[in-house]
Amino acid sequence: MNRRILVVDDERNIVTAIAYNLKKEGFDVIAGYDGEQGLNLAMSEKPDLILLDIMMPKMDGYEVCRRIRKVSQTPIIMLTARAEEADKVMGLDLGADDYVTKPFGTRELMSRIKAQLRKTVPREGVKRDTKNTYAAADLVIDFNMQEIRRANGVTVPLTPREFELTKFLATQHNEVFTREQLLEKVWGYEYFGDVRTVDVTIRRLRSKLEEEPERPRYIMTKRGVGYYFNNTGKPEE
C-alpha cells in the first residue's frame, strides 16, 4: 500500500503542484484547503505524513499542529512563508518535526518527506524482539517497534524525530555531540546554522522523558559543547 500524504494549504495552486509531484513519487495524496478541514482529515484519514501550511483561514497551522499532537505522533512538516526564526521555533515547540520555507524546490521537499518517512515503520505484523532493545535505567528503547517504554510498560509518546534523536544519543555511550553534529547525524541534512532546532527538540524530549525536565537524568547538557545521553539515569551534580 502506498504511503499517504495529507497536504493542507489554502493556496490551491500550491496544493496542486505538491500533489502532482507526490503522485509522481508513488504517494497517495489527500488535500485540505483550510485549517479546520485539514484537522478533520488528519483525524479521519490517518495519513502517514502531514504537510501543513501556517497561515490559513478558520484555523492556523500552529493550532492544527497542537491539536494533532494531543492524539497522534504522525510526522508533520510545516510549510511557511515566514523566514523568522521565532516562527519556525514555535512550530517545532508545538510538535512539528520539520519545516520548509516557501518558496521551496521540489527536490528539497521530497528529500524532507522521505527523510521523515524513513523514521516511521508500519506496525502491523511487527514482532517484538527482546534482543533488539536498549535498556537505560527505567527506559527501554525498542528498535523494532520504534518506541520507548518505561519500566512499567507505559509507552512514551514521541514523534519519529524525537525517537531517532533519543536512540542516536543513547547508543553512543555517553559521547557528547554538538548541535551541528546532531543536525547532520539525526536530521540527515544541513540546517545552515539553525541549531535552535536541536534545542527545541531536546526541550520537548525532556518534557516527555524526564520526571523533572529542569533536572534531567537522561538527556544531558555539556555546557559550551552539546548534548549526550546519561544511560545510568542518575542526576548528575
Side-chain angles (χ1 to χ4, degrees):
M1 181 181 294
N2 294 340
R3 310 299 287 276
R4 293 195 302 167
I5 310 296
L6 170 60
V7 184
V8 188
D9 196 312
D10 62 320
E11 296 185 64
R12 289 178 178 263
N13 60 324
I14 291 179
V15 174
T16 299
I18 293 175
Y20 173 78
N21 286 289
L22 286 171
K23 289 174 182 177
K24 281 178 59 179
E25 294 288 332
F27 296 108
D28 291 334
V29 180
I30 311 163
Y33 301 99
D34 61 58
E36 286 185 1
Q37 186 182 27
L39 178 61
N40 290 334
L41 288 170
M43 299 303 184
S44 63
E45 299 295 328
K46 295 180 170 49
D48 295 292
L49 183 142
I50 301 169
L51 296 176
L52 182 62
D53 188 32
I54 291 179
M55 301 304 294
M56 292 185 293
K58 297 187 179 179
M59 184 185 301
D60 66 28
Y62 294 134
E63 181 63 15
V64 176
C65 180
R66 188 185 68 81
R67 295 194 187 192
I68 290 173
R69 277 292 172 260
K70 287 184 176 181
V71 297
S72 171
Q73 300 305 318
T74 300
I76 297 174
I77 299 178
M78 305 294 285
L79 305 177
T80 174
R82 299 180 176 185
E84 288 83 355
E85 185 178 1
D87 294 315
K88 298 173 182 178
V89 170
M90 182 175 176
L92 294 169
D93 248 340
L94 290 170
D97 298 277
D98 200 356
Y99 55 81
V100 179
T101 303
K102 299 176 182 178
F104 48 80
T106 299
R107 183 177 299 178
E108 176 191 8
L109 181 62
M110 293 302 158
S111 175
R112 302 287 182 98
I113 290 170
K114 291 175 181 179
Q116 289 298 326
L117 290 176
R118 280 196 297 270
K119 300 177 186 304
T120 63
V121 294
R123 291 173 178 264
E124 294 181 7
V126 177
K127 297 180 179 179
R128 289 183 182 273
D129 180 356
T130 56
K131 295 181 180 179
N132 201 12
T133 61
Y134 182 92
D138 65 347
L139 296 178
V140 175
I141 303 174
D142 190 322
F143 303 137
N144 280 347
M145 298 300 291
Q146 296 282 291
E147 67 182 23
I148 296 178
R149 300 185 298 276
R150 300 193 186 278
N152 61 5
V154 174
T155 300
V156 181
L158 301 180
T159 66
R161 180 75 72 199
E162 291 165 353
F163 174 83
E164 287 297 321
L165 179 55
T166 309
K167 172 185 172 182
F168 176 79
L169 287 172
T171 54
Q172 300 305 310
H173 307 293
N174 293 325
E175 185 175 351
V176 180
F177 290 88
T178 66
R179 293 177 292 178
E180 290 83 0
Q181 288 174 322
L182 289 174
L183 285 174
E184 178 184 353
K185 300 291 185 181
V186 179
W187 276 254
Y189 50 83
E190 294 292 344
Y191 260 83
F192 303 104
D194 194 359
V195 293
R196 284 201 62 189
T197 300
V198 176
D199 297 331
V200 172
T201 307
I202 291 289
R203 186 165 66 248
R204 288 203 329 245
L205 259 180
R206 284 174 172 163
S207 72
K208 296 178 179 182
L209 290 179
E210 309 282 1
E211 293 180 3
E212 300 178 77
E214 69 282 358
R215 192 166 180 257
R217 297 191 297 141
Y218 297 107
I219 308 295
M220 313 300 291
T221 301
K222 183 72 172 180
R223 190 173 298 277
V225 183
Y227 298 104
Y228 66 99
F229 190 89
N230 173 27
N231 55 20
T232 68
K234 296 179 180 179
E236 297 186 352
E237 300 300 332

